[in-house]
Amino acid sequence: MAKKIVTYPNKILIRKCAEIKEITPNIKALAKELIESLIKSQGLGLAAPQIGESKSIIAVWAEEGAQVFINPKIIKKSRKKEIGEEGCLSFPGLYLKIKRAQKVEVEALTLQGEKIKLITQDLAARVFQHEIDHLNGILFIDRVGFWQRMKIKRKLRRN
Ligand code: CO
């Protein structure tokens, strides 16, 4: 079942997630919920804390459909950066221009426990950087300048 998306300023969003040590039936159930929630919310990516689980797993759209990645890590980043507009399901209606590496190499485990390495670029690289940030308790509003962040926080408090 799709879960309700946790929105800012819920504290779980700023907590660092726990690594997944073993792919148990519970983790498989969480993976399924994450995928269902991603599909329902029509996002490009979703991280477990956004459905209330502080665990290191994300779901991202790929050609074959929504896929999960366990304990994903960025192991290489291009020096080249790009500015692009991002949204976040935990900040409905907020879109920000964020500078990210144009290309990143990601290491992760599949749901079958297989270690994989992906080379992603452009929008896919942006989605992985955004979702992996979530696992470290970092939000896209943390990636803008101080004054812009203050302005956003003030606006969010008013809503
Ligand atoms: Co997000």
Side-chain angles (χ1 to χ4, degrees), residues 26-77:
N26 275 345
I27 294 297
K28 288 187 176 158
L30 171 59
K32 193 160 174 263
E33 280 177 347
L34 201 55
I35 284 180
E36 286 167 353
S37 306
L38 176 64
I39 292 169
K40 193 174 176 214
S41 56
Q42 298 185 305
L44 294 176
L46 190 62
Q50 293 181 281
I51 59 165
E53 290 280 347
S54 196
K55 295 197 171 72
S56 190
I57 178 170
I58 60 172
V60 173
W61 277 105
E63 267 172 64
E64 316 79 59
Q67 265 187 286
V68 294
F69 298 90
I70 295 168
N71 300 335
K73 298 257 158 25
I74 292 172
I75 53 169
K76 218 187 218 175
K77 265 184 187 186

Side-chain angles (χ1 to χ4, degrees), residues 74-158:
I74 292 172
I75 53 169
K76 218 187 218 175
K77 265 184 187 186
S78 64
R79 207 166 306 165
K80 193 180 168 208
K81 297 208 159 102
E82 261 173 8
I83 294 172
E85 198 176 63
E86 287 180 22
C88 178
L89 293 170
S90 296
F91 292 81
L94 182 66
Y95 297 90
L96 299 172
K97 288 200 168 72
I98 310 284
K99 195 194 264 186
R100 303 269 188 195
Q102 187 258 335
K103 205 169 164 181
V104 293
E105 242 177 85
V106 177
E107 211 173 68
L109 292 177
T110 65
L111 204 49
Q112 289 71 40
E114 185 194 354
K115 197 173 181 177
I116 53 165
K117 205 187 269 185
L118 302 120
I119 297 171
T120 64
Q121 51 186 338
D122 304 319
L123 185 58
R126 179 171 297 281
V127 173
F128 274 98
Q129 288 172 86
H130 180 114
E131 300 312 329
I132 292 171
D133 266 356
H134 271 299
L135 301 180
N136 291 311
I138 298 167
L139 302 169
F140 74 154
I141 58 167
D142 299 318
R143 296 283 185 201
V144 300
F146 176 78
W147 291 109
Q148 195 190 352
R149 184 161 58 251
M150 287 298 121
K151 220 167 106 184
I152 295 162
K153 285 189 171 172
R154 209 171 57 190
K155 205 173 132 196
L156 290 171
R157 271 202 300 271
R158 275 205 302 266

